[in-house]
């Protein structure tokens, strides 16, 4: 057997091991047979797309999805507005004070969730925000912001300053030049950081699980968590729900994966 | 440090007409929302934690909270649970980091072997990263189920275990292994991506030359590949340490720190002390300890990554 063939076999085997969990979700979501069998079925015995309909009927899953979308869109809107403004300062006026401030904002990323959960709970309770989606949006934005800011700054740095200057010569103010000329030309960077904050909001679980107390205010991740460890439920429908919760962020993920790595490594892997 | 932010490039514009002072005002004005946001939702909360950690706070707001100095810290240091939790945190972190890094290195090296097939396999290996952590937990709880779990069945069919029914998630030590497996599964693709990016920067000529000189595969790895990965590797390790210390989503959803505190890391203990035992002062003191360790790692991480960016040419 040649080296290439051996390599290929190893890759296929490793892929199988790594993707078994994803396969298990897909299988359970469409399988008509019960999950409560032993030995387990490794292939679908019959197809049951009714699982996808049932996932909406036995719990308020549609409400949870709408809540998740609200949190994700709210997080995206807030973090994009704030970080687009700040990225302009960091890229176009990189004085020492401005950059140090940007660095401090970036350090915010290094604060563990568990440290923030107690004070944020206390603050939001004082403000009457517990059990509102606003509380989750505020918390998720706090974590989306530093990454979005530095991703956008990286993008802005690659847009030549001549573009700003041309607009200034045409009589624009610096801010007009930014909004009308520069921002449209960095669309891919904006799309990537918007997708990042959307994913962060959609996948948010820890704050949502603590702040959202009644079922109708839950987001999809909290809803899915409530199924864990319960046996007397329709698991076909639950895995169909899980699949529907996975698809939106997974699609976005493959679109922005490259940018996330660049953001995390801050240029460390540049050749 | 500020000079180290090499990614900035050299632009330092002086806008015509407005003058430097007006530009500076505009810059601060645009940065203000981000700064205020961080102050309100990061700096102020940390102040709240610090303050709670030196007060006797049993249930949050409302009542009188007497100042107790460092007593909350002293109570923690005399609490046997604290030392148990430190141990669990260390074991979880070490195996999680080793597992994620090992899987990442293995997949990255394999992917780097064949340039054309990489485009098929690379996205497949990244799929776990795209799965929301809660969904990953939901799936793994089933894979590891005592009664119906397919993983126990597969291991049994392969002759690796005496019975298909493995008490994952029931026995404290096995539960810790289950949580580590799940965390590694959601995390290793990050390691793959980092290390593969590092591997791509090694010139194939260098490897070929070593091969011509008769270096074995191990020698080529040991003397060329490994040293070349040092920059990427250090940053990755720091991120993995940081994420291990801060990991709450997988552990909480999977075991809530149980059974019998078998998966009770420091981050989980903070949550339990605060939201189940309502010992806010105690939880805050532990929080401060987690924060100090994390920020120390964070600072080293940023210093290192920015310095590295500057050395490799910046923008």
């Amino acid at each position: 057997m040649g080296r290439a063939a051996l390599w290929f076999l190893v890759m296929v085997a490793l892929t199988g091991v790594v993707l078994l969990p994803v396969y298990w979700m897909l299988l359970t979501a469409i399988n008509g047979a019960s999950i409560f069998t032993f030995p387990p079925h490794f292939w679908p015995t019959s197809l049951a797309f009714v699982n996808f309909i049932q996932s909406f009927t036995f719990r308020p899953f549609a409400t949870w999805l709408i809540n998740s979308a609200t949190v994700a869109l709210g997080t995206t809107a807030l973090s994009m507005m704030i970080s687009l403004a700040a990225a302009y300062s960091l890229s176009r006026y990189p004085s020492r004070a401005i950059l140090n401030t940007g660095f401090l904002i970036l350090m915010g990323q290094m604060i563990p969730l568990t440290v923030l959960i107690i004070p944020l709970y206390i603050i939001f309770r004082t403000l009457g925000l517990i059990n509102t989606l606003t509380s989750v949006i505020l918390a998720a934005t706090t974590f989306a912001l530093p990454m979005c800011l530095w991703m956008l700054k990286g993008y802005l740095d690659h847009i030549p300053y001549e573009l700003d200057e041309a607009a200034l010569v045409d009589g624009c103010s610096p801010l007009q030049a930014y909004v009308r000329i520069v921002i449209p030309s960095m669309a891919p960077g904006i799309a990537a950081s918007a997708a990042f904050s959307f994913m962060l909001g959609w996948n948010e679980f820890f704050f949502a699980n603590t702040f959202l107390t009644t079922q109708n205010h839950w987001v999809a991740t909290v809803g899915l968590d409530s199924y864990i460890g319960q046996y007397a439920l329709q698991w076909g429908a639950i895995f169909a729900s899980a699949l529907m919760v996975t698809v939106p962020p997974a699609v976005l993920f493959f679109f922005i994966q490259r940018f996330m790595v660049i953001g995390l490594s801050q240029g460390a892997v540049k050749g | 440090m500020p000079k180290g932010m090499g990614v900035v490039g050299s632009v330092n514009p002086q806008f015509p007409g407005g003058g430097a002072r007006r530009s500076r005002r505009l810059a601060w004005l645009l940065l203000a929302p981000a700064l205020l946001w961080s102050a309100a939702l990061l700096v102020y909360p940390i102040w709240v934690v610090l303050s709670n950690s030196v007060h006797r706070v049993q249930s949050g707001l409302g009542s009188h909270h007497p100042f107790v100095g460092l007593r909350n810290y002293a109570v923690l240091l005399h609490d046997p649970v604290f030392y148990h939790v430190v141990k669990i945190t260390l074991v979880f972190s070490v195996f999680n980091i080793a597992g994620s890094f090992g899987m990442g290195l293995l997949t990255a090296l394999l992917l780097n072997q064949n340039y054309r097939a990489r485009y098929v396999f690379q996205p497949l290996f990244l799929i776990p990263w795209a799965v929301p952590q809660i969904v990953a937990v939901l799936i793994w709880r089933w894979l590891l189920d005592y009664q119906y779990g397919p993983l126990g069945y597969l291991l049994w069919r392969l002759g690796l275990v005496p019975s298909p029914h493995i008490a994952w998630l029931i026995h404290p030590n096995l539960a810790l292994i289950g949580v580590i497996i799940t965390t590694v599964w959601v995390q290793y693709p990050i390691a793959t991506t980092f290390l593969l990016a590092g591997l791509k920067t090694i010139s194939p000529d260098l490897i070929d030359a070593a091969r011509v000189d008769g270096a074995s595969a191990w020698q080529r790895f040991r003397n060329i590949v490994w040293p070349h990965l040092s920059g990427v590797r250090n940053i990755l390790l720091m991120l993995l340490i940081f994420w291990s210390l801060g990991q709450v989503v997988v552990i909480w959803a999977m075991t809530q720190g149980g059974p019998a505190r078998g998966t009770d890391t420091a981050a989980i203990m903070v949550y339990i002390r605060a939201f189940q035992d309502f010992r806010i002062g105690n939880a805050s003191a532990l929080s401060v300890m987690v924060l100090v360790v994390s920020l120390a790692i964070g600072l080293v991480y940023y210093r290192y990554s920015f310095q590295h960016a500057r050395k490799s040419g910046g923008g």
Side-chain angles (χ1 to χ4, degrees), chain B residues 114-184:
Chain B
N114 185 322
Y115 288 95
R116 256 179 305 162
R118 188 166 79 203
Y119 294 98
V120 179
F121 285 106
Q122 194 174 344
L124 292 177
F125 280 133
L126 290 185
I127 285 176
W129 193 2
V131 174
Q133 295 198 351
I134 279 298
V135 174
V137 171
L138 196 74
I139 301 171
W140 276 98
R141 283 278 310 218
W142 261 111
L143 291 175
L144 300 174
D145 189 73
Y146 175 73
Q147 198 77 31
Y148 307 105
L151 201 69
Y153 177 78
L154 285 174
L155 292 175
W156 175 66
R157 285 295 296 266
L158 291 170
L160 297 171
V161 288
S163 153
H165 300 294
I166 304 173
W168 308 106
L169 309 177
I170 298 171
H171 188 279
N173 292 349
L174 287 176
L176 187 56
I177 295 175
V179 166
I180 289 168
I181 293 175
T182 309
T183 318
V184 167

Side-chain angles (χ1 to χ4, degrees), chain A residues 8-96:
Chain A
F8 188 76
L9 275 179
V10 171
M11 289 304 262
V12 170
L14 200 57
T15 312
V17 171
V18 160
L19 291 187
L20 173 72
V22 176
Y23 174 73
W24 203 250
M25 168 166 68
L26 293 170
L27 174 73
T28 315
I30 58 158
N31 199 347
S34 168
I35 194 172
F36 301 102
T37 52
F38 199 86
H41 297 288
F42 284 87
W43 315 106
T45 46
S46 62
L47 296 181
F49 292 107
V50 70
N51 284 343
F52 287 88
I53 294 160
Q54 275 177 350
S55 57
F56 287 95
T57 55
F58 84 112
R59 289 290 156 85
F61 183 58
T63 309
W64 296 345
L65 284 180
I66 292 167
N67 289 346
S68 284
T70 309
V71 168
L73 290 173
T75 305
T76 310
L78 267 175
S79 49
M80 289 314 287
M81 281 191 298
I82 299 170
S83 57
L84 267 173
Y88 183 74
S89 299
L90 287 184
S91 175
R92 294 311 194 231
Y93 304 94
S95 71
R96 183 174 278 243

Side-chain angles (χ1 to χ4, degrees), chain A residues 41-210:
Chain A
H41 297 288
F42 284 87
W43 315 106
T45 46
S46 62
L47 296 181
F49 292 107
V50 70
N51 284 343
F52 287 88
I53 294 160
Q54 275 177 350
S55 57
F56 287 95
T57 55
F58 84 112
R59 289 290 156 85
F61 183 58
T63 309
W64 296 345
L65 284 180
I66 292 167
N67 289 346
S68 284
T70 309
V71 168
L73 290 173
T75 305
T76 310
L78 267 175
S79 49
M80 289 314 287
M81 281 191 298
I82 299 170
S83 57
L84 267 173
Y88 183 74
S89 299
L90 287 184
S91 175
R92 294 311 194 231
Y93 304 94
S95 71
R96 183 174 278 243
I98 291 267
L99 282 177
N100 275 336
T101 310
F103 175 75
L104 278 179
I105 295 170
L106 186 61
M107 277 300 279
Q109 235 188 333
M110 280 293 167
I111 297 172
L113 296 182
T114 193
V115 172
L116 282 181
I117 192 90
I118 303 172
L120 286 185
Y121 187 88
I122 295 173
I123 292 166
F124 290 160
R125 198 175 55 181
T126 313
L127 298 173
L129 291 175
I130 292 302
N131 207 21
T132 66
L133 295 178
T134 310
S135 65
V136 186
I137 293 174
L138 293 177
T141 302
T142 305
F143 282 89
L145 198 60
M147 187 79 169
C148 284
L149 172 55
W150 283 82
M151 271 164 89
L152 287 174
K153 176 195 173 294
Y155 247 87
L156 255 177
D157 286 342
H158 284 100
I159 291 176
Y161 184 59
E162 284 74 36
L163 201 67
D164 299 58
E165 276 176 337
L168 293 176
V169 168
D170 287 345
C172 285
S173 72
L175 209 54
Q176 283 171 330
Y178 182 49
V179 175
R180 294 195 194 149
I181 311 294
V182 179
I183 285 185
S185 66
M186 55 189 282
I190 291 174
S193 37
F196 173 79
S197 40
F198 185 93
M199 265 177 68
L200 211 133
W202 182 272
N203 292 347
E204 212 300 302
F205 165 74
F206 199 60
F207 292 113
N209 191 42
T210 312

